[in-house]
Amino acid sequence: MNVEEKKENSAERSRAVPVLWMIIPCYNEEKVLPITCEMFLDQLNSMIRAGHVDDRSRILFVNDGSSDSTWEIIQALSRRDAHFIGISQSRNRGHQNAVLAGLMEAREYCDITISIDCDGQDDISAMDRMVEEYRKGSEIVYGVRSSRKTDTWFKRATAEGFYKLLHCMGAEVVFNHADYRLVSKRVLDEFSNYQEVNLFLRGLFPMVGFKSSSVYYERNERLAGDSHYPLGKMLALAFDGITSLSIRPIRLITTLGFAVAFFSIIGVIWSVVCYFLGNTVNGWASMICIMCFLGGMQLIGLGVIGEYVGKTYLEVKHRPRYIISERTGSIYCRDHCENEKKKSYSQEREAD
Ligand code: UDP
Ligand code: MG
């Protein structure tokens, strides 16, 4: 078999039986992790048994600087089963950076990744359909919530408002898709060239392109522990998403500026006419209204522009987006790697 044929064969194999890495960010999740880790392992084992993914697949937990016993739980899991592995960030950097750290780590070893939250809210069994879509040729498969029946009306209204606001402001995101998605190694390799510090992954992946599809699933309630995304954080994420993906807010300010300037001209003409008619004492209230309105507009405009200047400032510094302080699991242990190498070497010799 020549080199080209060998390459083709291995590409076909990685499409038919890919090596999957699940990327699971965890921040102070000691209550929920012992429950959901079993669900992740069952899902992986069932996919391996069905021959849909390779046995070298892994479940990678990314500890995002937790202050509880999350990391100790991950370490214990990695000693128990070779499919569990973990990396730990040197401090809490937020959900998006934790997912990125996991994806960049996985890129070296796998054919596909599936990122999912560790609280069991997203239907884990939807992974079967995601892998199926990959096998049919998709490079990115978005997990989309088909309904939000289990959310309170407030969470539902704010979350759906969030997507609509993003859309109006020019940030292209898949409606009702959060961070549950399958991404192939090919896409990750291209994505690694996106070096931005302000991360909004669900808006960045559609920008990379490639063939994509969606898989619909029901969203459940958190199995244990509390949400880390209260309203304030969600608004911050929405604002981050808009300002890191689009400059439409600045354009809106410019348009508003033109509109206000137009009405100012009318105002000037009106005041000059009033002056010549001898009516200048009147109009104090309208004067105050216009001053307040313009003052407010100017401050909002400055704030939005300041946000972009701040973002530019953060980007030019090129600080690392994550720092991995520890790793745990069979794949990182030197003996294991040596054994794997020896095994594959002797297998190759046998084949020869
Ligand atoms: N998370 C994280 N770092 C943080 C906050 C959250 O890694 O600073 C993880 C968290 O452990 C979970 C996921 O991000 O796996 C989503 O968080 P959460 O479930 O609290 O958000 P919600 O589903 O309520 O929006
Ligand atoms: Mg959650």
Side-chain angles (χ1 to χ4, degrees), residues 77-109:
L77 287 173
S78 71
R79 284 191 288 268
R80 200 192 82 192
D81 191 304
H83 291 109
F84 286 126
I85 55 174
I87 55 177
S88 186
Q89 296 226 77
S90 58
R91 52 159 294 175
N92 178 249
R93 294 294 303 268
H95 175 221
Q96 300 289 294
N97 296 65
V99 175
L100 178 78
L103 292 175
M104 290 301 114
E105 181 77 7
R107 190 161 75 91
E108 308 292 327
Y109 303 91

Side-chain angles (χ1 to χ4, degrees), residues 173-324:
V173 287
V174 178
F175 190 70
N176 264 341
H177 158 71
D179 280 293
Y180 186 17
R181 78 178 79 78
L182 179 148
V183 180
S184 72
K185 177 182 163 50
R186 192 170 167 205
V187 173
L188 286 178
D189 285 343
E190 298 299 336
F191 183 69
S192 66
N193 296 323
Y194 285 63
Q195 289 294 336
E196 49 220 273
V197 180
N198 298 291
L199 283 176
F200 188 64
L201 296 175
R202 70 189 79 167
L204 288 175
F205 277 110
M207 288 170 89
V208 184
F210 290 102
K211 187 167 185 252
S212 66
S213 53
S214 297
V215 155
Y216 295 84
Y217 68 95
E218 295 271 331
R219 176 141 158 119
N220 306 316
E221 276 174 56
R222 209 173 216 282
L223 291 179
D226 299 315
S227 167
H228 302 98
Y229 272 103
L231 181 65
K233 254 193 171 180
M234 202 151 87
L235 283 177
L237 185 71
F239 203 60
D240 257 2
I242 295 165
T243 50
S244 60
L245 293 175
S246 137
I247 55 161
R248 196 172 286 179
I250 292 190
R251 297 235 171 93
L252 282 180
I253 290 173
T254 316
T255 315
L256 199 70
F258 275 117
V260 172
F262 174 73
F263 285 113
S264 305
I265 293 170
I266 296 178
V268 169
I269 295 169
W270 171 58
S271 57
V272 171
V273 171
C274 284
Y275 175 77
F276 283 114
L277 291 178
N279 268 344
T280 39
V281 184
N282 291 337
W284 177 83
S286 55
M287 201 60 198
I288 292 292
C289 291
I290 291 168
M291 270 171 62
C292 291
F293 174 73
L294 283 182
M297 281 297 149
Q298 278 167 359
L299 284 181
I300 293 173
L302 273 180
V304 174
I305 293 162
E307 179 72 19
Y308 282 94
V309 175
K311 284 240 150 81
T312 316
Y313 174 64
L314 290 175
E315 293 295 346
V316 293
K317 279 196 279 196
H318 275 301
R319 284 190 179 153
R321 297 177 292 175
Y322 57 88
I323 298 172
I324 297 171

Side-chain angles (χ1 to χ4, degrees), residues 117 119 121 219 222:
D117 293 351
D119 54 13
Q121 279 192 287
R219 176 141 158 119
R222 209 173 216 282

